[in-house]
Amino acid sequence: MSIQLSPLNEVQLKALEQLTQGAKPEQVIWLSGYFQGLAGSATLGSLAATGAGQFDSAAPTEKLPLTILYGTHTGRSEALAKALCEQGSTQNITCQLKPMDDYNPKHLKDEKNLLVIVSTHGEGEPPEMAEDFHAFITGKRAPKLEGLNYSVLALGDKSYKLFCQTGIDIDQALKKAGANELVPIVMCDVDYEEDAAKWTTDVLGELAKFQPETPTQAVSEVSWANDAEVYSRKNPFQSKVLDKVRITGRESDKEVYHLELSLEGSGIHYEPGDALGVIAQNPPKLVKEIISTLGVIDNEVVETRIGKLPFNEALEHHYEITLLTRDVIQKYAEKTGSKEVQAITDDEAKLDHYLFGHDVLDLLHEFPAKLTATEFLDLLRPLPPRLYSISSSQKAFEDEVHITVSRVRYENKGRQRYGACSTFLADRLDVDDDVLIYIDKNPNFRLPANGSPIIMVGAGTGIAPYRAFLQQRETANQKGNSWLFFGERRFSSDFLYQLEWQKYLQKGFLERIDLAFSRDQEEKVYVQHKLKEQQEELFRWLENGASFYLCGDMKYMAKDVQITLLDIIKTQGGMTDKKARSYFKKLKKEKRFMADVY
Ligand SMILES: Cc1cc2nc3c(=O)[nH]c(=O)nc-3n(C[C@H](O)[C@H](O)[C@H](O)COP(=O)(O)O)c2cc1C
């Protein structure tokens, strides 16, 4: 494409070339429809700028009104909602796209067509921004919605007990309110792209039936497989390992590694707070053990979910085998007809107990069954990429991305267990080796734009994003206004990036640091105890507009820190429980309380 022949500048031309390179014919057709709609859209620019707004297609007929609501934590539902809105705009639809926390649910009764895209977080809970909408629609005040057409796309992860619970709740509530289901709810697991694309095609097809006039444009197949995107989960970048160092002492009972990966030539851009997706590989030893237990030929070519592959390769690269999930154990019970396995799945407590620390090889050992290689693969879920909080700033390391990885290894029932990706990175990957990566954006974990105060709380590898935060602040020469609370087991062996924090303290980029080393004294000291000790000052920081960040273990640390913070707000603010809760809620709404927990 020549710059002289087009009204686009060089950067825009490059972006267009990247977008269309290798695009399939149907994608080019879709894009041409999209650009046509764009040409007639007066308000598209504002959508791009604000992330929400209205799309108007250029079609001359009366347009079909559609409201799309999304509830997201890590941004996937938002990206899908935006793409759906763009697609709708090419099909004679006036689309109102809204984050759930910016939508007054009282307006529901005025809607004609509503599509909801929502994920589930915590233990089956709505993402923060969906809490109020979820409470309203599932509560007593939900209105009758008989004139409303709707459908729900739910995002989740089958390894959680309450799979896609928020989407299910909202779907049931809309049904109960008398709304008309356009297409049944679709519940997406970690590999959500294809299911999401099918739902989108289906709902737009159903909506087309309600068009005032038959639209001239046919509903085209949508693919969120993102192969038009430069680098993504489905199309990762092949990066090189530049450096790898163990950053816990030899006497530590934890093995934490700092890895530096090259982005050279990728054009990849990330921001502090984003995560790095790494395409995982399973431990070869486990693959071998599974194959010998099944008694099949290791390189037998078998049908897999991505075509024909040697069995050992399929197990090593494409299926989850180091973890056991609810859906897998349920399928195993059904396939083998084992009453013992069924008894485990029928009892919540037994199931929880069995899921912890067991893998598919335990099932094969403890409840043997004759399965072919293909039958075995049919039981398994795809191996999802693993996400690591990025521990570098691109302002400081232009062509690099750094991560902080804790190696997962433990013993159960006399067998060593290894985490898939952490042991791949720690044990089987050396400097100069290649690794497949992509950026997983996290718009809900961002530094404040203006250098205002930040309180960073992290335990273990939860410290990673704060290293990126301080690198970023150093490059912007933003001193002070930063307070780090870090917790680990022992000062001598587990103080991750100790020298760097000391340097930041000296230079003034880090104003304060409080450390909790739980095993350095008789009684256990954790980060929440340090927060409590500093409660007066901490509340002062909050009152002065500080943003509070929380990163690390979800099960224990995150819960305890939130309880402590609420208690501090109550005590220091002299508030009732109710007032303190609404203060906390406001912090979350203003994005001054941000959590990245796992
Ligand atoms: C801390 C955490 C807790 C989660 N809890 C659940 C859950 O209880 N049920 C579920 O189906 N998915 C759960 N998920 C998976 C998310 O719903 C899934 O990653 C989804 O694609 C995220 O979409 P979003 O980016 O729009 O928030 C959880 C994810 C995280 C990180």
Side-chain angles (χ1 to χ4, degrees):
M1 238 179 291
S2 150
I3 193 159
Q4 281 95 342
L5 296 177
S6 96
L8 304 179
N9 64 33
E10 206 172 335
V11 176
Q12 289 170 321
L13 266 179
K14 264 226 165 79
L16 190 62
E17 260 169 20
Q18 272 180 338
L19 180 70
T20 48
Q21 232 169 38
K24 295 177 197 149
E26 68 271 27
Q27 290 174 318
V28 175
I29 293 167
W30 186 89
L31 282 168
S32 63
Y34 169 69
F35 283 121
Q36 224 169 21
L38 201 62
S41 163
T43 49
L44 186 67
S46 67
L47 180 121
T50 60
Q54 300 249 334
F55 271 102
D56 282 321
S57 85
T61 53
E62 197 186 317
K63 289 167 194 136
L64 192 77
L66 168 66
T67 294
I68 301 173
L69 298 181
Y70 62 87
T72 187
H73 182 69
T74 43
R76 278 183 199 151
S77 305
E78 180 177 356
L80 291 171
K82 280 184 180 168
L84 165 66
C85 188
E86 288 170 20
Q87 173 76 357
S89 77
T90 66
Q91 289 168 25
N92 208 34
I93 285 172
T94 301
C95 174
Q96 184 192 200
L97 175 68
K98 287 264 181 194
M100 281 181 180
D101 60 352
D102 189 27
Y103 179 78
N104 184 345
K106 298 219 169 89
H107 294 159
L108 275 174
K109 53 186 184 336
D110 306 321
E111 305 289 357
K112 295 270 177 296
N113 302 296
L114 174 75
L115 297 179
V116 174
I117 304 184
V118 68
S119 61
T120 298
H121 280 268
E123 308 272 1
E125 290 141 33
E128 202 74 49
M129 65 148 70
E131 274 177 2
D132 289 350
F133 181 85
H134 177 265
F136 177 85
I137 196 73
T138 55
K140 284 200 206 91
R141 291 188 179 81
K144 285 267 158 282
L145 296 169
E146 268 128 12
L148 178 73
N149 297 317
Y150 86 97
S151 187
V152 175
L153 179 69
L155 264 64
D157 179 337
K158 273 193 183 151
S159 63
Y160 286 91
K161 192 187 293 184
L162 299 167
F163 175 51
C164 287
Q165 192 58 47
T166 306
I168 294 171
D169 292 347
I170 293 175
D171 178 64
Q172 284 176 353
L174 288 167
K175 209 169 276 165
K176 194 169 150 211
N180 165 49
E181 182 187 70
L182 285 166
V183 298
I185 179 173
V186 167
M187 292 182 270
C188 301
D189 197 4
V190 283
D191 237 22
Y192 61 94
E193 288 94 340
E194 273 168 34
D195 289 339
K198 179 156 186 335
W199 175 83
T200 303
T201 308
D202 291 350
V203 282
L204 289 177
E206 282 305 306
L207 280 172
K209 297 180 187 162
F210 294 90
Q211 288 283 9
E213 269 174 42
T214 315
T216 45
Q217 261 166 310
V219 178
S220 48
E221 276 276 318
V222 184
S223 165
W224 305 141
N226 273 342
D227 28 14
E229 201 179 296
V230 186
Y231 293 112
S232 64
R233 238 160 76 90
K234 297 275 166 184
N235 178 32
F237 173 66
Q238 185 165 327
S239 161
K240 239 182 215 337
V241 180
L242 298 172
D243 205 359
K244 181 173 127 182
V245 227
R246 178 171 164 165
I247 53 171
T248 41
R250 225 175 300 140
E251 67 281 20
S252 172
D253 33 33
K254 292 194 177 175
E255 270 183 53
V256 177
Y257 290 85
H258 170 76
L259 278 104
E260 302 187 351
L261 309 176
S262 170
L263 294 180
E264 205 182 334
S266 68
I268 286 178
H269 176 73
Y270 66 85
E271 285 172 68
D274 285 341
L276 189 77
V278 179
I279 308 302
Q281 291 182 20
N282 284 312
K285 190 164 182 281
L286 181 61
V287 170
K288 274 204 184 103
E289 284 177 351
I290 289 175
I291 291 172
S292 78
T293 308
L294 282 170
V296 295
I297 301 159
D298 62 352
N299 58 357
E300 176 190 341
V301 174
V302 290
E303 198 57 64
T304 76
R305 47 181 203 88
I306 54 153
K308 284 195 177 351
L309 281 179
F311 186 48
N312 49 5
E313 189 184 324
L315 282 183
E316 194 165 335
H317 296 277
H318 301 287
Y319 290 88
E320 182 94 272
I321 56 171
T322 55
L323 298 171
L324 199 53
T325 50
R326 286 162 189 274
D327 50 324
V328 172
I329 189 165
Q330 184 63 51
K331 279 194 205 160
Y332 194 83
E334 283 160 18
K335 179 77 196 165
T336 60
S338 161
K339 291 214 164 43
E340 285 161 291
V341 183
Q342 193 60 52
I344 296 176
T345 62
D346 289 347
D347 180 328
E348 256 321 304
K350 274 192 193 153
L351 183 58
D352 268 344
H353 179 75
Y354 199 80
L355 288 174
F356 187 75
H358 289 82
D359 58 27
V360 279
L361 186 57
D362 290 306
L363 282 180
L364 292 175
H365 281 160
E366 291 170 30
F367 312 102
K370 190 87 201 107
L371 294 170
T372 65
T374 313
E375 282 172 335
F376 181 68
L377 290 185
D378 282 346
L379 302 173
L380 305 179
R381 68 197 314 243
L383 177 62
R386 302 308 204 240
L387 296 181
Y388 297 94
S389 304
I390 292 175
S391 53
S392 56
S393 152
Q394 210 166 10
K395 287 253 170 2
F397 296 91
E398 198 184 336
D399 272 341
E400 295 180 19
V401 60
H402 302 175
I403 49 174
T404 314
V405 179
S406 181
R407 181 177 188 262
V408 176
R409 185 182 56 160
Y410 57 94
E411 200 197 296
N412 192 20
K413 297 187 171 165
R415 182 158 59 88
Q416 276 295 324
R417 316 291 167 122
Y418 303 97
C421 200
S422 69
T423 53
F424 163 59
L425 294 170
D427 300 350
R428 306 193 292 285
L429 203 66
D430 287 322
V431 171
D432 284 339
D433 283 349
D434 290 338
V435 54
L436 296 173
I437 57 167
Y438 64 95
I439 301 297
D440 195 84
K441 290 262 155 216
N442 188 357
N444 294 315
F445 206 81
R446 289 280 182 258
L447 274 168
N450 48 7
S452 60
I454 51 174
I455 300 165
M456 303 166 280
V457 181
T461 53
I463 201 167
Y466 307 140
R467 182 175 181 265
F469 279 10
L470 285 199
Q471 284 180 4
Q472 183 91 353
R473 286 207 155 176
E474 185 180 24
T475 58
N477 202 25
Q478 283 170 344
K479 293 201 174 172
N481 275 344
S482 56
W483 190 351
L484 176 68
F485 288 86
F486 172 63
E488 247 299 352
R489 287 187 178 165
R490 293 178 192 89
F491 174 85
S492 58
S493 58
D494 304 322
F495 189 178
L496 308 181
Y497 302 113
Q498 178 186 358
L499 295 178
E500 298 189 25
W501 304 121
Q502 282 167 348
K503 183 195 80 184
Y504 285 132
L505 275 171
Q506 266 168 14
K507 290 187 177 173
F509 294 109
L510 184 59
E511 189 172 327
R512 302 187 59 154
I513 190 166
D514 280 88
L515 302 164
F517 290 103
S518 59
R519 303 201 179 177
D520 274 351
Q521 59 286 304
E522 192 86 342
E523 78 289 3
K524 292 274 194 300
V525 178
Y526 298 115
V527 278
Q528 61 270 25
H529 300 125
K530 291 287 160 185
L531 293 173
K532 194 100 198 219
E533 261 174 45
Q534 300 292 337
Q535 56 176 311
E536 235 181 287
E537 185 62 7
L538 197 128
F539 188 68
R540 207 171 300 132
W541 276 53
L542 285 180
E543 288 285 85
N544 285 336
S547 302
F548 189 104
Y549 298 85
L550 175 59
C551 185
D553 169 73
M554 173 178 70
K555 230 177 183 164
Y556 305 105
M557 192 243 351
K559 278 203 178 123
D560 290 341
V561 166
Q562 294 197 56
I563 292 168
T564 307
L565 186 60
L566 196 62
D567 192 54
I568 291 174
I569 294 167
K570 217 164 116 181
T571 319
Q572 294 301 314
M575 296 180 205
T576 59
D577 196 54
K578 199 171 163 207
K579 269 213 156 141
R581 279 180 196 284
S582 81
Y583 184 102
F584 194 21
K585 207 163 179 183
K586 194 161 162 267
L587 284 182
K588 290 178 176 174
K589 193 150 190 188
E590 289 170 354
K591 289 206 175 175
R592 285 179 47 219
F593 176 91
M594 285 163 270
D596 177 12
V597 293
Y598 35 83

